[in-house]
Amino acid sequence: MYNVDVPPRFGLLAPPDHRSSWSVGPQAAMVEPNYMPEEQKAWLKDASNAVKRHGFYLRKAIDDDNMKEALRYSAALLGELRTSLLSPQKYYELYMQACDELRNLEARQQPQPAAALLVFFRDEAGKGRSQGELYDLVQHAGNIVPRLYLLCTAGACYVRGGEAPAKLILRDVVEMCKGVQHPTRGLFLRAYLVQARQGRGAVMRGLLPDTNSQYEGEDGGNVIDAIEFLLVNFTEMNKLWVRMQHQGSARDREKRERERQQLADLVGKNLTYLSQLDGLTFQLYRDIVLPRVLEQVVTCRDDIAQQYLMQCVIMVFPDEFHLGTLQSLLGALPQLQPGVRVHTVLSLLMDRLANYAATDKDVVEEMNGVDAFGQMSKVALKVVEQHPDMPGADVAAMYSALLGFSGTVYPDRLDFVDRVLETCYNALQRRGPINDSKAEKQVVALLSTPLDKYDAVTVLGLAHYPSVMELLQPRMKREVATRIVQTLLAAGTQVSTLDQVEMLFSFITPLVQDVEGLQDLLDEEASEQLTALLLDVSEDQQLLARLVHNMQAEGGDTDAQHGMVVAAQRHFLQGGPQRIRHTLPPLAFSALATVRRVAAAQQGGSTPQVGCAAWYQLLHQTATELASVPAAELALQLFLTCAHSASEEAALEVTAYEFFEQAFVLYEESIPDSRQEVRALQSIIGTLSRCYVFGADERAALAHKASSYCAKLLKRTDQCQALLACSHLHWQPAIEGKRAVRDEQAVLSCLKRALKVANAAQQQLAVAGKPARGGDVSSGPAAAASLFVEILNHYLFFFDAGGQLITTASLLELVANEVAADACKDNEALQTFYSNTLAHIKQRKAAGGEAGAKYDGLQI
C-alpha cells in the first residue's frame, strides 16, 4: 500500500479547518459551502498550481521509469479533485486541468498523442509486470477519489491488453465508482469513465463489447453488456445529479438549479452513447433501454431531471424507435412532476414525428396504424386531468403543438383540429378566466396555428374555434382578429357568400367596433392616450379597408354582392366616427366597381335583380354617413364620384343630379376652411365638366351654381383661377356618342370675369412690399402678372379649339406689359411661364396651314 499525504494547497485564504476536511466522515463531506466568487477564484488558482506541480513530477517519474513515484504524484494530482469548496463550474475547470496532466501528453516513440499514464501502464507489461498486478496495485491508494480515477485508467489498460474480459472489468469499475457519493465529485468521476470530449477520449467508452467490436466475444461480452454498463452509469449519475438539488439552504435554490443545468450534459451523454451503439436494435431499445431509462426518469421525481432527460431521449434515439414505442413514451408523460413543462416534451416529440412523416408517405400509414393522433390526444387530456394546477399557458402550448402535428401529418382531417380545440377549451374553461399574459399569448398562438395551415374561412367555420376565442380578454381578441385578417390578405382568400361575411365579422368585431372610452378621450383631449388609441384604430382600419376588396361574390353574382356589401356596411356603421372614415370609402369604391358591371349587364339586355338604382341608393347612404362623421371633404369627393358614375356608366340623369345637389349642400354647410373650399370647388367643376348626361337646363343650373361659388372665395387669386376652371363647364371635349356642350358666349363671359378679378387682384397685391424673387409667385406684383399669363393660356386654348369670338391680340399686349414690369423681371418662375406661352404661339405660327393662319394676326 502507498499513501501520499499531500493535501490540496488553498493558501492563506482557506478556512482554518480546511485540512481536517479531508478526513471527516462522508456526511460532513456532503456539505456544500457557499463562498464568494473572489474566494472561489483564489482556491481554484491554488489548486491549479498544485496540479501543475504534481503534473511536472509525474512526467519526470514517467521519464525515469519510476513506477512508485509515478503513482505517488498521480495520486497527489488527482487528490486535488477531492475538494468540496469549488462550485461545479470552477470544479469543471480544475477537472479538465487534472485530466490534461494525465492525458494529452506526447508519448515517446508514438506518432499520435496518447494518455501518458495509460502508455506507461501498458509499457509495464513488457517489463514483466502484468496488467492485473497494476489493476490491483492502484487500489491501494489512500483516498477513494484518486484511487478510482487510477482504477479506471488501469482497468482500460487491463482490457486493451486482452488479459481480462471487457464485461468483467466494466462491471467492476462501474460498481466501484459507487464509492464516491458526493454529487459533484461523483458526476465528474463517472464522466471520466465514459465521456469523450474533443480528443480527450474517455478511458472505457472505446472498450465496450459492441457488435463487431474487437472486445466482443464469448468471454468479453456482447452489446447487452455494453448497454448494461451505460445504463448503470446513467442511473448512478442521475441520482447524483438529482441529489445536488437537496443540498444547502433554501435561499440558494435558484443558484443550485443554474449549476445543475450546467451539468446536465454529463448525464445526457450516457444516452447519446447508448444511441450510438452499432448493436442497438429496435428490440433491445424497446425491451431493455427505454423501460430502464423511463423508470429512472419517473422515479427520480425531479423537475429539472425529468424535463431534460425526456427531451434527451426524444432527441438522441431514431424516429422509427419513437414511432414503435409511442405508447410507452407517451405513457410516461402523465407521470411526470407538475413542474415539468410537458408541452415542450410533447411538442418536441410531435415535431420529430411530423418531420419523419414528411420524408416518407409510408410513415403516415404506420402512424394511422398505431393511431398516433389518438394516443397523443389521450395523453394530453390525461396530463391535464392529473395536473389540475398546470398553468393555462402550458395547457395552451401543449394543444398548440398537437394542432401543429395534426396539420402536418393529417392535413385533410379538419375534424382533428376541431377535436383539439374542443378539448383545449374544456381544459382552459375549468381553470377560470384567462388573466395571465403568458396564457393569453399561448392561446393566441393556438388559434393562429390552424390559420397557418388551412384556409382562414374554413378554420373560422369550425364549431369550437369561436369558443376558444371567447376565453380571451378584449385586447387579445383584437390580436387574434388582426391575425385572421392578415392571413386572409396574405393568402388572397375570397369571402364569397353572405354567410361567410357574417361569420367573418363575428370574429373581427374587435377591429370593427370603436374602442371603449375613445369618445371620452376625444372630449377631454387627453393627448398621449388619444394618440396611442388613434394609432391602433388607424392600423386596424387599414387592414379592414384592404379586406373589403376580398369580399367578392362567387361567380361575379352582382345580386349576392349587393347583400354582402349591405352586411359589411351594417357592421362598419357600428364603429365610431374614427373608424368609419377609414372603412366606408373602400366599401363605396367596391360598390362602384360592381355598379359598372351591373350597368354593362343592363345595357347588354340582362336584368339583374338588384339594379343600378338600388346600388346608388346604397352609395348615397354611405356618403351621407361619411358626411355625418364628420368627414365632409371625403364625403363630398364620394358624392362627386358617384355623380360621375351615374352620369357616364348608368346614364341616370336624375340620380347624377341628386348627387351633385348633395355635393353643393355639403360644400355650403360643412366646408369651413378656405383652402378646403378651393380644393372642393375645383373637384366640383372638374367632375361636372366630365358629365355628359345632363340636358341643357339641368347643366346650366349646375354650372351657374358652381360659378356663383367663385365670387365667395376668400382670395382674389383663387376666385380668378376658379372662374378660369368654370369656363370649361361651357366647352366640353367632343366624345363620340356624347352630347358635348359648346357655349362660346358663356366661355367668353367667364374669361372676362376672370380678367376683371385679375385686375382687382393686381390693385390689391400692389401694396405688397418688395417684389417676389426666384420661384415665388404667390405674393406681390408677380402673383397678379402670373394670373394674366394664366388667363392668356386659357384664351389660347379656346382660340385653338375653334372659338370664333375669342380674340387675344389686346390681351397679348397687356400681358407683355405686366411681365416686363420692374417688379416681375427677376422672377424666374413667371418669366419661364411666359416664355413657354410665347414659344407655343411661335410654334403654331410656324405650323402653317389653316391653324397657322389664325395666328398671323397675333403680334409678339
Side-chain angles (χ1 to χ4, degrees):
M1 176 180 179
Y2 64 93
N3 189 8
V4 182
D5 187 14
V6 186
R9 274 66 171 172
F10 287 108
L12 298 177
L13 292 176
D17 57 345
H18 78 278
R19 293 181 182 274
S20 62
S21 66
W22 302 112
S23 59
V24 296
Q27 295 301 323
M30 294 293 292
V31 178
E32 283 285 346
N34 184 21
Y35 296 115
M36 299 299 292
E38 295 77 10
E39 295 174 324
Q40 294 272 315
K41 293 179 181 179
W43 296 334
L44 177 61
K45 182 179 179 180
D46 284 347
S48 299
N49 291 335
V51 168
K52 293 177 182 178
R53 182 169 60 254
H54 296 317
F56 170 78
Y57 288 114
L58 170 62
R59 291 189 294 272
K60 187 175 183 301
I62 291 175
D63 291 341
D64 295 340
D65 199 16
N66 188 332
M67 168 64 75
K68 181 178 179 181
E69 290 298 306
L71 291 177
R72 178 173 180 267
Y73 284 108
S74 61
L77 184 151
L78 293 166
E80 299 295 330
L81 296 176
R82 296 167 53 216
T83 180
S84 301
L85 301 176
L86 297 177
S87 66
Q89 185 176 7
K90 298 298 182 184
Y91 190 91
Y92 171 75
E93 296 180 25
L94 182 63
Y95 164 81
M96 294 306 299
Q97 187 178 0
C99 291
D100 285 342
E101 293 295 340
L102 292 177
R103 301 175 297 190
N104 296 340
L105 296 174
E106 186 73 25
R108 287 178 299 178
Q109 299 178 352
Q110 294 213 3
Q112 298 294 333
L117 199 57
L118 288 173
V119 175
F120 182 66
F121 284 172
R122 287 202 300 269
D123 290 344
E124 288 297 308
K127 302 172 185 177
R129 187 191 297 273
S130 69
Q131 298 291 347
E133 292 176 3
L134 285 173
Y135 187 70
D136 292 336
L137 179 61
V138 297
Q139 297 186 47
H140 293 281
N143 293 297
I144 191 168
V145 171
R147 181 194 311 153
L148 291 176
Y149 275 97
L150 292 172
L151 184 68
C152 294
T153 306
C157 295
Y158 204 1
V159 175
R160 283 195 179 95
E163 298 182 20
K167 66 177 181 179
L168 297 180
I169 300 301
L170 291 173
R171 188 182 307 160
D172 186 41
V173 174
V174 78
E175 289 295 328
M176 291 289 285
C177 286
K178 292 181 180 179
V180 178
Q181 289 298 307
H182 185 279
T184 304
R185 295 197 291 266
L187 278 173
F188 282 98
L189 171 63
R190 289 186 175 275
Y192 178 76
L193 179 63
V194 298
Q195 194 173 46
R197 191 183 295 272
Q198 297 180 353
R200 303 182 178 98
V203 293
M204 288 295 181
R205 183 180 168 231
L207 308 179
L208 299 179
D210 193 6
T211 302
N212 298 324
S213 169
Q214 60 176 320
Y215 304 107
E216 181 188 25
E218 185 175 349
D219 296 328
N222 53 29
V223 69
I224 296 179
D225 297 298
I227 292 173
E228 182 65 22
F229 169 77
L230 291 173
L231 285 175
V232 171
N233 199 64
F234 161 73
T235 301
E236 295 300 322
M237 290 186 76
N238 188 50
K239 290 178 180 178
L240 294 169
W241 188 40
V242 171
R243 192 180 303 161
M244 291 182 66
Q245 185 67 29
H246 307 290
Q247 309 184 146
S249 61
R251 67 175 179 272
D252 297 329
R253 179 177 178 181
E254 292 185 3
K255 177 184 175 183
R256 288 197 302 273
E257 289 179 351
R258 289 196 302 269
E259 292 174 346
R260 288 189 63 206
Q261 295 285 3
Q262 295 171 356
L263 299 177
D265 185 61
L266 299 179
V267 183
K269 283 292 184 181
N270 290 279
L271 300 179
T272 302
Y273 298 147
L274 275 168
S275 68
Q276 293 172 352
L277 292 174
D278 294 335
L280 181 65
T281 62
F282 171 71
Q283 289 74 20
L284 291 175
Y285 174 78
R286 180 192 60 195
D287 300 336
I288 299 177
V289 176
L290 185 61
R292 292 271 295 276
V293 172
L294 292 181
E295 179 186 8
Q296 179 57 216
V297 171
V298 172
T299 56
C300 75
R301 303 180 66 81
D302 179 79
D303 294 352
I304 295 176
Q306 289 182 341
Q307 182 79 47
Y308 172 75
L309 293 177
M310 287 301 295
Q311 291 176 331
C312 194
V313 167
I314 294 171
M315 288 298 296
V316 302
F317 290 105
D319 296 325
E320 55 269 23
F321 285 12
H322 295 324
L323 186 57
T325 58
L326 188 60
Q327 186 173 1
S328 301
L329 199 56
L330 294 175
L333 297 183
Q335 303 178 55
L336 301 180
Q337 294 297 104
V340 177
R341 297 189 301 275
V342 179
H343 66 278
T344 61
V345 178
L346 192 59
S347 175
L348 183 61
L349 176 61
M350 288 188 288
D351 287 345
R352 285 210 63 175
L353 292 180
N355 293 334
Y356 182 43
T359 61
D360 190 352
K361 294 182 180 179
D362 295 336
V363 175
V364 178
E365 306 236 346
E366 192 176 348
M367 287 185 180
N368 289 330
V370 299
D371 189 20
F373 176 80
Q375 289 192 54
M376 291 181 181
S377 299
K378 291 177 182 177
V379 168
L381 181 59
K382 192 172 182 181
V383 167
V384 171
E385 291 174 348
Q386 291 186 354
H387 299 91
D389 297 331
M390 187 176 183
D394 292 353
V395 173
M398 181 171 62
Y399 281 107
S400 180
L402 186 57
L403 272 182
F405 172 79
S406 172
T408 302
V409 181
Y410 309 101
D412 300 329
R413 297 297 301 270
L414 276 169
D415 57 316
F416 284 176
V417 176
D418 204 34
R419 279 172 54 186
V420 174
L421 293 173
E422 180 183 10
T423 52
C424 181
Y425 169 73
N426 294 333
L428 292 174
Q429 188 185 38
R430 288 194 293 267
R431 283 163 170 76
I434 299 178
N435 298 317
D436 178 41
S437 60
K438 291 184 179 179
E440 288 181 327
K441 290 179 181 179
Q442 288 296 344
V443 173
V444 171
L446 171 74
L447 293 171
S448 301
T449 299
L451 294 174
D452 295 333
K453 299 182 180 294
Y454 301 97
D455 177 78
V457 175
T458 304
V459 172
L460 298 182
L462 296 175
H464 295 92
Y465 194 90
S467 303
V468 178
M469 190 170 174
E470 282 301 316
L471 296 172
L472 295 171
Q473 299 297 325
R475 61 184 179 84
M476 299 308 293
K477 287 182 181 178
R478 173 181 174 271
E479 189 171 333
V480 176
T482 301
R483 183 62 188 275
I484 291 172
V485 176
Q486 288 174 339
T487 303
L488 281 167
L489 295 175
T493 304
Q494 297 295 314
V495 183
S496 55
T497 66
L498 178 59
D499 291 339
Q500 289 180 354
V501 170
E502 296 288 358
M503 178 186 67
L504 175 61
F505 275 97
S506 68
F507 284 100
I508 64 173
T509 299
L511 301 181
V512 176
Q513 293 184 355
D514 212 344
V515 178
E516 184 178 354
L518 178 59
Q519 190 59 46
D520 295 336
L521 290 174
L522 286 171
D523 296 338
E524 298 172 6
E525 297 184 355
S527 58
E528 293 185 3
Q529 297 182 37
L530 179 61
T531 301
L533 280 174
L534 290 179
L535 181 61
D536 289 342
V537 168
S538 177
E539 292 174 352
D540 294 344
Q541 304 321 296
Q542 288 175 18
L543 288 175
L544 293 178
R546 294 170 58 195
L547 180 64
V548 166
H549 300 288
N550 284 46
M551 299 179 188
Q552 300 296 331
E554 191 173 359
D557 187 345
T558 57
D559 296 335
Q561 183 73 17
H562 183 270
M564 293 165 58
V565 173
V566 169
Q569 185 198 55
R570 184 179 71 253
H571 287 288
F572 284 146
L573 289 177
Q574 294 177 7
Q578 299 302 323
R579 292 180 178 271
I580 64 176
R581 68 171 68 242
H582 295 281
T583 52
L584 290 186
L587 187 68
F589 280 94
S590 175
L592 284 169
T594 308
V595 169
R596 193 175 298 117
R597 291 190 283 121
V598 172
Q602 288 179 336
Q603 292 170 7
S606 300
T607 54
Q609 213 169 15
V610 181
C612 289
W615 280 99
Y616 285 120
Q617 183 180 359
L618 175 64
L619 286 165
H620 191 284
Q621 179 187 359
T622 303
T624 303
E625 292 291 345
L626 267 179
S628 65
V629 169
E633 194 170 6
L634 192 59
L636 186 141
Q637 296 292 339
L638 184 55
F639 275 125
L640 294 177
T641 303
C642 294
H644 182 266
S645 172
S647 169
E648 303 309 301
E649 293 171 357
L652 298 176
E653 181 181 5
V654 175
T655 303
Y657 194 90
E658 170 66 19
F659 279 120
F660 270 112
E661 280 187 333
Q662 291 299 320
F664 288 141
V665 171
L666 203 57
Y667 177 84
E668 292 175 355
E669 297 179 356
S670 303
I671 308 291
D673 182 75
S674 60
R675 297 314 304 167
Q676 289 182 350
E677 283 185 336
V678 173
R679 289 196 300 267
L681 185 55
Q682 293 285 358
S683 297
I684 291 173
I685 295 170
T687 303
L688 182 57
S689 66
R690 292 182 291 116
C691 293
Y692 291 81
V693 73
F694 297 112
D697 294 339
E698 289 77 9
R699 182 173 189 82
L702 293 174
H704 175 72
K705 190 69 173 175
S707 299
S708 68
Y709 292 139
C710 297
K712 298 178 182 180
L713 295 177
L714 181 63
K715 295 182 179 180
R716 300 278 188 184
T717 53
D718 293 334
Q719 293 177 16
C720 180
Q721 291 171 342
L723 284 168
L724 291 175
C726 281
S727 65
H728 294 273
L729 295 178
H730 307 287
W731 192 284
Q732 290 180 296
I735 298 179
E736 185 178 356
K738 304 285 186 180
R739 49 182 180 185
V741 174
R742 295 289 180 92
D743 187 347
E744 191 175 355
Q745 190 67 45
V747 170
L748 188 58
S749 174
C750 288
L751 294 178
K752 287 181 177 180
R753 287 176 61 192
L755 190 58
K756 182 178 179 181
V757 172
N759 285 322
Q762 182 185 36
Q763 297 176 8
Q764 182 181 10
L765 294 173
V767 298
K770 59 182 181 180
R773 296 182 179 274
D776 185 12
V777 292
S778 61
S779 62
S786 178
L787 288 178
F788 285 115
V789 177
E790 199 166 341
I791 294 172
L792 174 61
N793 276 269
H794 278 76
Y795 267 92
L796 291 173
F797 171 80
F798 292 112
F799 186 68
D800 284 345
Q804 302 298 321
L805 302 178
I806 308 297
T807 58
T808 60
S810 58
L811 184 60
L812 271 172
E813 183 179 356
L814 173 63
V815 173
N817 293 333
E818 292 293 334
V819 173
D822 293 337
C824 302
K825 284 182 178 180
D826 296 332
N827 192 290
E828 296 179 7
L830 175 60
Q831 295 298 329
T832 302
F833 188 16
Y834 182 59
S835 298
N836 291 337
T837 304
L838 296 181
H840 169 74
I841 297 174
K842 292 177 182 179
Q843 183 183 15
R844 298 295 289 179
K845 274 189 172 186
E850 184 179 351
K854 292 175 61 177
Y855 281 82
D856 289 341
L858 299 181
Q859 299 298 323
I860 300 176

